[in-house]
Amino acid sequence: MRFRSVIAVLAATVALPVGAGYATDLEVTHWWTSGGEAAAVGELAKAFDATGNKWVDGAIAGAGGTARPIMVSRITGGDPMGATQFNHGRQAEELVQEGLMRDLTDVAERGNWKEIIRPASLLESCTIDGKIYCAPVNIHSWQWLWLSNDAFEKAGVPVPKNWGELVAAAPALEKAGIVPLAVGGQPWQANGAFDVLILALAGKDTFLQVFGEKNADVAAGPEMAKVFKAADDARRMSKGTNVQDWNQATNMVITGKAGGQIMGDWAQGEFQLAGLKAGEDYSCLPGLGVNEVIATGGDAFYFPLLEDEAKSKAQEALAETLVDPKAQVAFNLKKGSLPVRGDVDLAAANDCMKKGLDILAKGDVIQWTDQLLSADSQKQKEDLFSEFFANPSMTPDDAQKRFVEIIATAD
């Protein structure tokens, strides 16, 4: 809890926050660079600046696949930032094992994080050898299909209620000059879309057998063959997207140039920034309208170990700020994600966000691949599905065989 103390400065009495003697600039790196993301980051910066410190923004364009190697290189190269975003899971595991990241256990215990952060798996993903190394800021779920109501009206077909109806509507969309499914060219987008197809179409048990147990036999089986067929449908429907960044693909849905997009709930921030209303201008289908289960992945901030005492104090202030109730509400409403605390007021949530909250309340949740696979295994998957979506000559059977090899050696 913050409180104020009185000190005399140049014969004047001025009230300052505790730790103001240590107040300093703190560089914070992240990959939130789209319009909606920037608006959300601004809420965190404003809350942190209110502690007397200053958020120095270190945004790196290109999403996680581009930004993470830069962040890791700086930390291992002796030029650490004050704090950095990763997805909570195993992305910072090696940095922690090398002794390069700060232990936040004391901060977490003071803030009673184990009692307020829900689900518990979020904090568990920040915990290595019993110590807490990151502060979760949101619950981001990949498992959404975003649809342009205008695009389907123009094509003369109803807005789909599930994945199968989108596939069936694709010819009508194409006839109207609309790309049925927008998939940007960044490798992580194709990789994430495939993982969503697995959970939605093959189900939770198959998903966990493949990624949790690393069961190569299941990966080679008939249920996964159905998923690769669906990925082939997605590849065909995405022809003509011709954009690179995820938010450019989202903008195609916003403007009615594409019928839909498989993308995480962070896409909500772009729809909101464009002034579109959930349920009226666009529709959202959790679990692709087939299997309403969402992942409890998301974003967290890690803090490189620093020798500077002022910056170390500022790190503590930032960690506390990130889980503060007001900051949680302000940030997540603009980000489109769900808060990591269950004790905050989200009356202002839109229809899509309420769907996610309902699923979370029912406990229909699962750990995502960032939490179940090492960064190396994830990269191998990215390479495979990036090639699959870019190369029509790769058959679903060929892709499945390569996928089985990845799962057989995954860690």
Side-chain angles (χ1 to χ4, degrees):
M1 179 180 295
R2 292 174 52 228
F3 57 95
R4 305 181 77 85
S5 60
V6 179
I7 62 172
V9 179
L10 299 178
T13 301
V14 183
L16 294 172
V18 162
Y22 294 100
T24 186
D25 294 353
L26 196 71
E27 182 190 9
V28 184
T29 57
H30 58 86
W31 55 77
W32 292 325
T33 57
S34 75
E37 290 174 325
V41 170
E43 295 295 336
L44 293 182
K46 181 169 62 177
F48 178 61
D49 289 352
T51 69
N53 296 285
K54 182 174 177 55
W55 176 295
V56 178
D57 202 69
I60 301 173
T66 299
R68 273 193 302 272
I70 297 172
M71 296 165 174
V72 171
S73 178
R74 282 191 54 184
I75 296 169
T76 57
D79 181 29
M81 63 295 290
T84 189
Q85 171 202 8
F86 286 119
N87 299 120
H88 40 65
R90 300 180 61 183
Q91 292 175 353
E93 191 173 63
E94 293 183 5
L95 295 172
V96 171
Q97 292 169 346
E98 292 296 321
L100 297 172
M101 305 305 279
R102 176 173 178 165
D103 177 2
L104 295 176
T105 304
D106 289 347
V107 178
E109 289 177 348
R110 287 200 306 270
N112 204 25
W113 288 7
K114 286 188 177 180
E115 299 302 320
I116 64 174
I117 292 177
R118 290 290 180 268
S121 60
L122 297 177
L123 204 56
E124 289 168 3
S125 292
C126 290
T127 304
I128 298 177
D129 295 332
K131 297 180 180 179
I132 296 169
Y133 286 93
C134 69
V137 292
N138 60 18
I139 301 170
H140 257 324
S141 50
W142 243 107
Q143 302 73 37
W144 295 83
L145 177 60
W146 306 94
L147 300 167
S148 166
N149 292 359
D150 285 345
F152 290 95
E153 182 177 350
K154 181 180 178 182
V157 292
V159 177
K161 293 182 174 59
N162 55 53
W163 173 256
E165 290 185 7
L166 174 62
V167 175
L173 290 167
E174 291 169 339
K175 186 177 180 179
I178 298 168
V179 174
L181 184 71
V183 180
Q186 295 164 319
W188 65 269
Q189 295 183 57
N191 182 53
F194 181 82
D195 290 346
V196 172
L197 287 168
I198 294 179
L199 181 58
L201 304 181
K204 185 175 179 178
D205 289 344
T206 297
F207 183 91
L208 291 175
Q209 286 172 338
V210 171
F211 293 126
E213 300 172 15
K214 283 64 172 186
N215 190 320
D217 290 335
V218 174
E223 287 300 310
M224 285 300 301
K226 295 177 185 177
V227 176
F228 277 91
K229 169 59 172 64
D232 190 37
D233 290 336
R235 176 173 61 177
R236 173 179 49 79
M237 292 192 296
S238 67
K239 184 179 179 181
T241 300
N242 297 328
V243 297
Q244 189 72 11
D245 294 342
W246 72 269
N247 53 305
Q248 293 174 319
T250 304
N251 189 62
M252 292 180 66
V253 182
I254 290 172
T255 58
K257 295 178 181 177
Q261 180 190 26
I262 297 174
M263 187 50 60
D265 54 9
W266 49 89
Q268 285 197 79
E270 303 304 302
F271 286 98
Q272 290 175 184
L273 196 65
L276 272 61
K277 187 172 181 180
E280 294 184 10
D281 303 310
Y282 66 98
S283 299
C284 55
L285 301 179
L288 308 188
V290 179
N291 188 2
E292 292 191 354
V293 175
I294 63 173
T296 53
D299 301 296
F301 280 88
Y302 289 77
F303 298 81
L305 199 60
L306 302 177
E307 295 182 2
D308 186 294
E309 187 176 3
K311 292 189 184 300
S312 292
K313 290 287 185 180
Q315 286 179 323
E316 293 184 16
L318 178 56
E320 292 167 351
T321 298
L322 294 172
V323 298
D324 176 82
K326 291 182 180 179
Q328 277 282 302
V329 171
F331 171 74
N332 284 294
L333 284 177
K334 289 190 176 179
K335 190 70 167 61
S337 47
L338 303 179
V340 299
R341 315 178 49 128
D343 59 350
V344 295
D345 182 8
L346 284 173
N350 67 26
D351 287 349
C352 291
M353 196 171 185
K354 287 176 181 176
K355 287 183 180 180
L357 289 168
D358 288 344
I359 294 169
L360 187 64
K362 293 174 184 175
D364 294 331
V365 299
I366 193 172
Q367 286 188 309
W368 200 232
T369 52
D370 288 319
Q371 296 161 291
L372 298 172
L373 296 175
S374 68
D376 180 64
S377 295
Q378 280 282 71
K379 181 62 168 61
Q380 291 179 53
K381 281 174 62 254
E382 278 192 4
D383 291 345
L384 169 60
F385 292 110
S386 176
E387 182 181 351
F388 178 75
F389 271 76
N391 180 10
S393 66
M394 182 187 290
T395 68
D397 287 344
D398 290 339
Q400 185 172 6
K401 289 175 183 176
R402 283 182 52 182
F403 179 72
V404 171
E405 293 173 358
I406 293 171
I407 295 303
T409 59
D411 59 355

